[in-house]
Amino acid sequence: AYVSLNNPIKVMNLKLVNTWSCNRRITVTFYLEPVMGTTRSEMQQYIVSEFNTSGKALMARNTYNSEFREKVLFLAASREPNGLTTDRTEFLGRQGSYSNPAALGRVGLSGTVCSGLDTCFTMQIMIWIGPGEEKEVTFLLGQGENMENALDLIKQNMIRAQEGTVLTDVTAFWDDLLGKVHVETPDT
């Protein structure tokens, strides 16, 4: 996980390797609670969510908060999601347990994407991996100035993130910044 140098995006790359001698099915689940304001309890009722099929992304706006009126929060995936929901109660369950979310005890999510609920972003991606096979999934979490900008950020950065060029840029920046100071002491 790392953040882009030039864009308001956090990149999360997950590499899965099947070391078993049989096929495996792995379900990758990403969960977050958007705030888009001061506190989640104050803002959750004003967050308007939608799913954008072209960007494979959950999107959210909070027009109630003047700082976020035009801005669009997004969670995008490099693979087509098999399930998603923006209903926190569906994912966590009635008791709201983070340590044992109800949705992980069953197969699939309802696909509920609506406003006015106790909002969350939950996306599940099912990956089949053969013996010795390796597969990756990339998530982008970010914020665009508006819907068009958010979709552009996803389009521009998803391929770069999968190729590793975003990470290369970040690594080069930090190597350059931190490599300017060299200290030698008699103590090895």
Side-chain angles (χ1 to χ4, degrees), residues 144-164:
E145 293 298 318
N146 52 42
M147 184 62 77
E148 183 180 340
N149 178 245
L151 291 171
D152 284 344
L153 286 170
I154 294 167
K155 185 177 179 181
Q156 292 170 10
N157 289 281
M158 185 59 79
I159 293 169
R160 291 186 70 237
Q162 289 175 292
E163 292 172 345

Side-chain angles (χ1 to χ4, degrees), residues 46-131:
Y46 303 111
I47 295 177
V48 177
S49 303
E50 65 182 84
F51 181 73
N52 182 283
T53 54
S54 66
K56 297 181 205 158
L58 283 167
M59 318 289 267
R61 283 181 271 202
N62 181 354
T63 57
Y64 178 78
N65 185 310
S66 60
E67 291 182 49
F68 292 94
R69 185 161 283 130
E70 298 296 321
K71 301 201 184 303
V72 176
L73 172 72
F74 60 85
L75 171 63
S78 59
R79 295 174 177 266
E80 194 71 38
N82 296 84
L84 53 93
T85 187
T86 59
D87 182 358
R88 184 173 175 262
T89 303
E90 176 189 347
F91 183 75
L92 294 179
R94 288 185 177 255
Q95 301 303 316
S97 170
Y98 292 108
S99 61
N100 189 19
L104 297 185
R106 61 181 185 274
V107 176
L109 296 169
S110 69
T112 301
V113 178
C114 59
S115 305
L117 298 173
D118 189 358
T119 305
C120 75
F121 273 11
T122 307
M123 191 179 288
Q124 287 186 331
I125 297 173
M126 191 181 311
I127 301 174
W128 288 93
I129 308 175

Side-chain angles (χ1 to χ4, degrees), residues 2-11 140 153 157 160 166-167 169-170:
Y2 52 93
V3 294
S4 171
L5 288 175
N6 306 315
N7 296 301
I9 293 175
K10 180 177 183 178
V11 179
L140 298 181
L153 286 170
N157 289 281
R160 291 186 70 237
V166 177
L167 180 58
D169 293 347
V170 170

Side-chain angles (χ1 to χ4, degrees), residues 10-66:
K10 180 177 183 178
V11 179
M12 290 141 290
N13 288 323
L14 179 63
K15 183 185 290 187
L16 301 167
V17 180
N18 183 0
T19 59
W20 290 27
S21 60
C22 60
N23 291 328
R24 300 289 312 267
R25 183 190 81 191
I26 306 292
T27 302
V28 177
T29 303
F30 193 105
Y31 174 84
L32 73 93
E33 296 175 359
V35 176
M36 301 184 81
T38 51
T39 64
R40 191 181 69 75
S41 61
E42 290 176 1
M43 293 293 130
Q44 66 188 1
Q45 63 189 341
Y46 303 111
I47 295 177
V48 177
S49 303
E50 65 182 84
F51 181 73
N52 182 283
T53 54
S54 66
K56 297 181 205 158
L58 283 167
M59 318 289 267
R61 283 181 271 202
N62 181 354
T63 57
Y64 178 78
N65 185 310
S66 60

